[in-house]
Amino acid sequence: MPLDASKGDGEARRRKPFYRHLYVQVLAAIALGALFGWLAPETAAQDGVKALGDGFVKLIKMAIAPIIFCTVVSGVAHIEDARKVGRVGVKALVYFEIVSTFALALGLLVGNLSQIGAGFAGKPDPQAIAKYTALAEKRGGVDFLLDIIPDSAIGAFAKGDILQVLLFSLLFGFALLTLGERGRALRVIVDDIGRAMFGVIAIVMKAAPIGAFGAMAYTVGKYGSAALLSLAGLIGAFYLTSALFVVIVLGLIARAVGFNIFRFLAYLRDELLIVLGTSSSESALPALMEKLQRLGCSKSVVGLVVPTGYSFNLDGTNIYMTLTTLFIARAMGVELDLTQQATILVVAMLTSKGASGVSGAGFITLAATLSAVDPQLAPGMSLVLGVDKFMSECRALTNFIGNGVAAIVVAHWEGELDRARLAEGLAHKIDPSDVETAVATP
């Protein structure tokens, strides 16, 4: 699409009534869902209400694997130098590790300064977290590496495993690249399928307000305000730390690359509200990939960085693990010295890898971290079980924002960031709420 045509379309779309904007509808749905859950908790906690949110997330997830496949295959198949894929991957992983370390360290810093958990009177219930501990024990390094390799290509798509789909897509893209001109027809087909899948997402996104309403109503009705108030200190500290990370750490990174983090957040407002309502960063993954391409990032960089980041760049989960580990330790009367806290940082760096963007995955990684640092802390997970859902929204939001920034940074490093489109997109000259037209940037 020509840039000037897109600009004109954006002006027309911004003149539509405010209530027709997706972010307004989702925000209203979140507020109504919270109110419904508070006023009628027994009704809101029913499985039927929960199904509204779960159903929307499943609708999005059904398209994630095909979108990743088409984006990655098309991006790889269109490049001229096969070494570029490895170069982008290495740069992305280096960036992920550096930024993840900052996230973990910030969680430890805030946890120590605030003395979070000191004087907490709650008592752990070991039976309440038995299933999470059992799952955590299965997260061994070798098992994780083997899990990246699918049993079959169809199985990877059937399970919707992002890393498995990414691995197969890379291999298929390289194979298509070696075909040269003979593979041109197939590349065109893959591109067209990708555009069609983004069209599917555009249709599904119209149901976002319904999904956000159901998920928020169920959360408030199921867990209630009592659990929220009992651990308000931990929740507040976590939200504050995540906000500091986004504004300071990601803000400085964004400034170094040449864009404003607040303008970027405004550009992604629709997706951020959807993530907030559903507690799942995967619910907005396809839209994030499409919008980053509209913002001037090349398709190959977006296709490699974003799916990989969903398993290797979980900034919100990292903050949650270090901060919550300190809370549990102090609440149980266990004071961790500097050596043990350094161990938390290293262990959390490993256990966070492979966690998906699905709600609740952070709690399983917390179980793995506690078991590895000090097994006697594992029963303390039950102290935060009741409010983990209230923190999952913030985890998902921080993870989502971090992956968006990562794609722009790597595109900048690779010289594949269209500065003009970045500036126009963040200035809202390109309508950020338009997910109906996918921009295929080679």
Side-chain angles (χ1 to χ4, degrees):
M1 178 187 295
L3 193 56
D4 55 351
S6 135
K7 190 188 304 183
D9 290 345
E11 291 293 336
R13 291 187 187 97
R14 282 195 294 277
R15 289 196 293 268
K16 65 186 178 183
F18 77 96
Y19 56 83
R20 292 186 60 189
H21 286 280
L22 182 62
Y23 75 93
V24 174
Q25 296 172 0
V26 173
L27 187 60
I30 290 174
L32 290 174
L35 183 64
F36 178 58
W38 178 53
L39 295 177
E42 293 185 1
T43 303
Q46 298 296 318
D47 290 341
V49 177
K50 183 175 184 289
L52 295 176
D54 291 347
F56 173 72
V57 174
K58 289 187 71 175
L59 283 172
I60 294 291
K61 289 183 66 177
M62 75 177 180
I64 287 178
I67 284 177
I68 290 176
F69 175 79
C70 293
T71 304
V72 174
V73 170
S74 178
V76 172
H78 279 91
I79 66 177
E80 297 179 357
D81 184 5
R83 291 175 297 181
K84 171 190 166 185
V85 177
R87 188 172 66 245
V88 170
V90 170
K91 288 181 178 179
L93 290 175
V94 169
Y95 173 86
F96 293 161
E97 293 306 310
I98 293 174
V99 177
S100 294
T101 301
F102 274 106
L104 291 165
L106 184 61
L108 287 176
L109 177 63
V110 173
N112 281 298
L113 291 177
S114 64
Q115 290 293 299
I116 192 75
F120 185 75
K123 296 182 179 180
D125 178 12
Q127 295 182 349
I129 48 84
K131 63 177 181 179
Y132 294 104
T133 304
L135 287 171
E137 291 174 352
K138 298 179 180 179
R139 290 181 55 85
V142 175
D143 290 337
F144 168 64
L145 292 175
L146 291 177
D147 286 343
I148 297 177
I149 305 173
D151 294 327
S152 68
I154 302 300
F157 284 87
K159 292 194 300 182
D161 190 297
I162 292 178
L163 283 181
Q164 291 186 358
V165 172
L166 179 61
L167 175 62
F168 176 74
S169 302
L170 284 171
L171 295 175
F172 194 90
F174 275 120
L176 201 56
L177 180 63
T178 60
L179 289 177
E181 192 62 28
R182 288 181 298 169
R184 181 180 180 184
L186 186 53
R187 287 197 297 268
V188 172
I189 293 174
V190 170
D191 288 344
D192 288 343
I193 292 175
R195 292 189 181 94
M197 291 309 302
F198 277 117
V200 171
I201 290 298
I203 297 172
V204 172
M205 290 289 278
K206 297 183 185 300
I210 299 174
F213 171 83
M216 186 57 65
Y218 178 80
T219 297
V220 176
K222 177 72 173 180
Y223 300 100
S225 57
L228 185 64
L229 293 175
S230 66
L231 292 171
L234 173 61
I235 297 171
F238 177 54
Y239 273 75
L240 174 62
T241 307
S242 298
L244 289 173
F245 176 81
V246 170
V247 173
I248 297 176
V249 178
L250 295 183
L252 289 174
I253 293 173
R255 183 174 181 180
V257 174
F259 68 98
N260 184 281
I261 189 66
F262 295 106
R263 287 182 178 271
F264 183 63
L265 296 180
Y267 178 76
L268 294 176
R269 60 178 181 254
D270 292 355
E271 288 69 35
L272 291 173
L273 287 172
I274 291 171
V275 171
L276 175 65
T278 61
S279 300
S280 171
S281 54
E282 280 191 342
S283 62
L285 185 151
L288 174 64
M289 296 177 69
E290 190 270 344
K291 282 192 171 183
L292 287 170
Q293 292 175 59
R294 290 177 61 83
L295 207 55
C297 298
S298 70
K299 177 184 287 188
S300 58
V301 170
V302 171
L304 287 170
V305 175
V306 175
T308 307
Y310 265 63
S311 284
F312 290 90
N313 186 40
L314 302 174
D315 301 322
T317 303
N318 288 330
I319 294 171
Y320 166 82
M321 286 194 293
T322 51
L323 191 64
T324 308
T325 298
L326 288 181
F327 172 86
I328 290 173
R330 288 204 183 93
M332 296 181 67
V334 178
E335 196 63 36
L336 301 177
D337 57 30
L338 291 178
T339 302
Q340 290 173 308
Q341 292 192 29
T343 303
I344 293 174
L345 193 148
V346 175
V347 171
M349 182 70 75
L350 297 174
T351 55
S352 65
K353 301 298 180 279
S356 67
V358 179
S359 177
F363 203 62
I364 297 174
T365 60
L366 175 63
T369 303
L370 290 172
S371 300
V373 173
D374 189 344
Q376 69 173 323
L377 297 178
M381 288 174 57
S382 61
L383 297 176
V384 298
L385 180 61
V387 296
D388 179 73
K389 182 66 176 177
F390 292 101
M391 292 191 285
S392 66
E393 288 94 346
C394 190
R395 283 199 304 265
L397 284 170
T398 310
N399 293 341
F400 181 81
I401 297 168
N403 282 313
V405 172
I408 297 178
V409 170
V410 176
H412 165 70
W413 285 348
E414 279 293 298
E416 297 194 11
L417 178 63
D418 188 327
R419 289 285 178 179
R421 290 177 63 177
L422 177 66
E424 295 209 348
L426 296 185
H428 300 291
K429 293 181 180 179
I430 298 176
D431 185 12
S433 65
D434 176 25
V435 296
E436 297 183 4
T437 304
V439 176
T441 307

